[in-house]
Amino acid sequence: MGDVTRCKRCILPDTYPDIQFDRNGVCNFCSGESSNKNAPKKSLGRQELDKIIRTHKGKSKKYDVIVGLSGGKDSSYVAYYLKKEYDVKILGLNYDVGYRSTYAIQNLEILADKLEIDLLTLRPNRAFLNKLFAHFLRNRGEFCSVCNNFGYLIGASLSWNQKLSLGFSPLMVGGWSKEYEFQHGVSVTSMQYFFENLTQELLEELMFQPFVEKEVVLRFMQLKDPRQAQIGTKEHKELGDYAMDFIQLPDYVEWDLREMPHILSEKLGWKHPPDVHESHFDCSLFPLKEYLKFKKYGLTQETIKNSVLIRQGLMTREEALERMSFEQTTEPEVLDAFLHELGITKNDIDWQAEWSRFA
Ligand SMILES: [Zn+2]
């Protein structure tokens, strides 16, 4: 770690793909030279959100909106905000791949009870999931693209089945909202990447999963990236009935990452583990995701996130450097158990494979 050069303003290292430093040592992400073309062009604002919700509220007898829920702070805040501000009928969708933390499960129960949400937890077939995880670890040295895409397709299939046309999350899979930076070059969220790396056999098996609609999969296979299904895009129109109006809430309302855990604790009794920062405790494989990213690219998602917070003036560079001691840069305990479950070894993992370059 000693020889890493970091941006003088944020903490991004020189190992981050496509990073460049100017003569003052400031990176192209800080100087704005590398602005993301998928970022929302304008601040969409609360009025726009009012309009969208008015259009959908009361349209269906059962639910007004579907919200993806993990029990983590961002998705919990989405549900809290929608209930408080709009009193909508929410169908909460929780995707369980067998690695939810006890904190996450407790938070889900709290949300369902206190906000009066119908909560649907879908747990895909274990053997099939393991096959997918093992396949991606062997071939690409990562496993998160499985949840990113399979989970997305399950959500899209469910909303299509329920005839629900409005969906919410803090961040669409592969998303870029004004509060979250798309992780250029180190992301495994693209659909094109996922489908290109699936074998024919795995694809067929995927389409036969009970929560998955084959037609929905075939439609979404035509997208490069789930972001293309976002409201107002050409692809959103082409998806026709298969598309829903998918809202990334941070694009529309104030999103104070540091305040949210306090608000949720105070209003709902929501909890996060005391010994870690409040990020991503919802999935117990998160430390492994971070470790794989660190091994390959010399940085973790926390480094990227905290760099964004510095740019927004919500964190000092000193604090971000201090918080790096929390980051998962050594082999996490969960690795051995996970590999054992999948029936593969560390030697089977492709540690060198580059991840998605679609952006
Ligand atoms: Zn920077």
Side-chain angles (χ1 to χ4, degrees):
M1 285 287 294
D3 295 340
V4 173
T5 304
R6 290 181 189 282
C7 170
K8 293 280 187 294
R9 191 166 163 228
C10 69
I11 57 169
L12 289 179
D14 54 6
T15 47
Y16 193 56
D18 302 330
I19 199 167
Q20 282 159 18
F21 298 101
D22 67 15
R23 76 171 85 87
N24 300 317
V26 174
C27 78
N28 45 336
F29 297 94
C30 283
S31 67
E33 270 166 45
S34 208
S35 61
N36 193 303
K37 59 181 184 307
N38 295 304
K41 285 178 188 57
K42 55 181 169 76
S43 182
L44 296 161
R46 172 66 194 242
Q47 279 178 325
E48 190 68 23
L49 182 64
D50 291 349
K51 215 160 68 186
I52 295 169
I53 292 194
R54 232 181 289 130
T55 316
H56 289 85
K57 197 175 169 181
K59 214 173 121 188
S60 151
K61 278 199 192 104
K62 288 188 193 161
Y63 303 105
D64 298 316
V65 300
I66 183 170
V67 177
L69 288 175
S70 70
K73 72 174 185 313
D74 295 276
S75 65
S76 301
Y77 191 77
V78 171
Y80 167 74
Y81 186 90
L82 291 175
K83 198 74 194 181
K84 178 169 77 78
E85 297 293 319
Y86 294 105
D87 194 28
V88 281
K89 281 183 286 173
I90 297 174
L91 170 60
L93 172 61
N94 173 240
Y95 175 60
D96 175 19
V97 295
Y99 294 94
R100 299 181 307 169
S101 70
T102 41
Y103 275 94
I105 294 168
Q106 278 169 12
N107 287 337
L108 286 166
E109 287 172 1
I110 284 172
L111 288 173
D113 292 349
K114 297 229 166 138
L115 300 177
E116 296 179 13
I117 291 174
D118 286 0
L119 180 66
L120 179 62
T121 293
L122 288 182
R123 185 169 167 125
N125 177 285
R126 189 64 178 233
F128 177 59
L129 266 178
N130 284 351
K131 245 192 254 182
L132 284 175
F133 285 141
H135 174 76
F136 275 89
L137 274 172
R138 274 206 189 95
N139 293 288
R140 306 300 300 213
E142 59 84 19
F143 60 95
C144 291
S145 59
V146 173
C147 290
N148 290 337
N149 289 283
F150 188 27
Y152 188 92
L153 293 167
I154 285 177
S157 299
L158 179 75
S159 67
W160 188 65
N161 270 329
Q162 291 281 325
K163 300 188 170 49
L164 272 166
S165 51
L166 184 59
F168 278 88
S169 78
L171 186 64
M172 174 150 15
V173 172
W176 200 106
S177 83
K178 62 183 180 180
E179 298 301 325
Y180 290 87
E181 181 169 349
F182 178 68
Q183 296 176 22
H184 190 70
V186 298
S187 164
V188 290
T189 50
S190 125
M191 288 204 157
Q192 193 177 4
Y193 165 86
F194 178 68
F195 284 117
E196 276 183 4
N197 281 287
L198 275 188
T199 60
Q200 190 58 33
E201 193 194 327
L202 285 170
L203 175 63
E204 272 161 32
E205 214 172 323
L206 180 131
M207 292 197 289
F208 277 103
Q209 295 303 305
F211 317 130
V212 170
E213 295 297 334
K214 190 176 171 183
E215 299 95 298
V216 171
V217 175
L218 293 172
R219 287 288 174 133
F220 280 82
M221 269 179 88
Q222 293 164 20
L223 301 180
K224 280 202 177 82
D225 193 303
R227 285 172 294 172
Q228 291 178 308
Q230 215 163 346
I231 287 187
T233 58
K234 178 167 102 334
E235 290 79 4
H236 180 263
K237 289 196 193 89
E238 282 169 10
L239 280 167
D241 287 351
Y242 294 88
M244 61 174 156
D245 288 349
F246 206 100
I247 304 287
Q248 302 184 93
L249 199 55
D251 287 342
Y252 294 82
V253 303
E254 199 190 332
W255 205 253
D256 189 335
L257 287 173
R258 310 199 79 185
E259 267 307 302
M260 277 162 21
H262 301 296
I263 296 171
L264 291 169
S265 305
E266 195 191 308
K267 304 286 183 191
L268 305 176
W270 179 97
K271 291 190 180 86
H272 68 81
D275 53 333
V276 249
H277 42 79
E278 65 289 347
S279 292
H280 289 286
F281 59 82
D282 44 357
C283 173
S284 55
L285 293 177
F286 183 70
L288 179 56
K289 170 189 184 165
E290 288 285 73
Y291 176 63
L292 291 172
K293 195 171 273 185
F294 184 78
K295 283 275 278 188
K296 202 172 297 275
Y297 293 110
L299 87 168
T300 64
Q301 190 168 315
E302 282 299 293
T303 293
I304 298 173
K305 191 191 83 184
N306 291 340
S307 292
V308 174
L309 289 173
I310 293 170
R311 277 175 226 134
Q312 291 174 333
L314 295 171
M315 187 178 279
T316 65
R317 189 170 185 275
E318 288 64 40
E319 193 184 344
L321 288 169
E322 253 167 57
R323 284 171 72 110
M324 288 187 75
S325 61
F326 290 119
E327 293 183 19
Q328 191 71 45
T329 56
T330 54
E331 194 179 294
E333 255 174 59
V334 70
L335 178 63
D336 283 335
F338 187 47
L339 294 180
H340 181 76
E341 168 77 25
L342 302 184
I344 64 172
T345 70
K346 278 174 213 167
N347 291 333
D348 294 324
I349 299 176
D350 187 340
W351 296 92
Q352 306 304 321
E354 236 189 278
W355 294 349
S356 176
R357 304 289 294 177
F358 304 116

